[in-house]
Amino acid sequence: AAYKGCGVGTGEAPEVVKLVVGEAVNAAISPMKPNETKRLKVEVELAPGHTQQWWCALTEEIFYIEAPAGGLQDGSRQSLLVLLDFAEVLKCSSALVCFERERRDRAALVKTFLFLGFKLVKSGDARVPSHLGDTCVFLGYPLLN
């Protein structure tokens, strides 16, 4: 079966954002309407010819990041830090990483994100979309503005 994920980046065609590890985050996105959820495909260049793709969604205050389907690859931590910088530039109050609860690499992903400073977010939390609370794991990271 095809990988479905948590729905981040599905639906309408996403806006594509390109970022580069080691460079200042200066990417911009189109203006948002009130109560809009914007879907993004963020391509982070780790080195020439080596790009990590992340499916993301943005609300007025929350930056959602779906953990890559194939797991975290070499350079994923650096690209995740670039994503967090991008979320701060967008003035988000927090970033939430999500992935399907049934993933085989769930324990490794939770351990990695906890090590990076993320904290588990319960399904009843206001930041967790109600339709995903039972099927996906969410880990939150506070952003300072």
Side-chain angles (χ1 to χ4, degrees):
Y3 177 75
K4 293 185 288 185
C6 286
V8 173
T10 60
E12 297 177 24
E15 198 168 320
V16 177
V17 177
K18 296 181 186 252
L19 305 171
V20 179
V21 169
E23 291 185 10
V25 175
N26 61 1
I29 60 170
S30 60
M32 291 187 59
K33 300 173 186 130
N35 301 316
E36 177 184 14
T37 298
K38 186 176 289 287
R39 302 195 187 295
L40 304 169
K41 179 174 135 183
V42 182
E43 298 174 350
V44 180
E45 184 178 317
L46 301 165
H50 184 55
T51 300
Q52 171 81 54
Q53 288 185 356
W54 297 86
W55 292 101
C56 303
L58 173 67
T59 65
E60 292 177 30
E61 293 187 12
I62 312 292
F63 192 76
Y64 295 92
I65 305 164
E66 184 162 0
L72 299 177
Q73 303 167 3
D74 288 342
S76 292
R77 289 180 181 159
Q78 294 92 334
S79 67
L80 179 65
L81 294 175
V82 171
L83 283 179
L84 294 175
D85 287 344
F86 181 50
E88 283 188 334
V89 167
L90 297 173
K91 306 213 180 309
C92 294
S93 61
S94 62
L96 267 68
V97 168
C98 61
F99 50 89
E100 285 185 308
R101 192 173 297 279
E102 300 302 318
R103 281 181 62 154
R104 291 183 197 174
D105 59 349
R106 178 184 66 190
L109 285 172
V110 169
K111 183 178 177 181
T112 298
F113 287 112
L114 289 175
F115 177 78
L116 294 171
F118 284 76
K119 298 203 181 321
L120 282 168
V121 178
K122 295 183 180 182
S123 62
D125 188 288
R127 299 171 295 172
V128 174
S130 59
H131 66 286
L132 296 176
D134 294 333
T135 59
C136 294
V137 173
F138 286 83
L139 293 104
Y141 189 89
L143 299 171
L144 304 174
N145 289 317

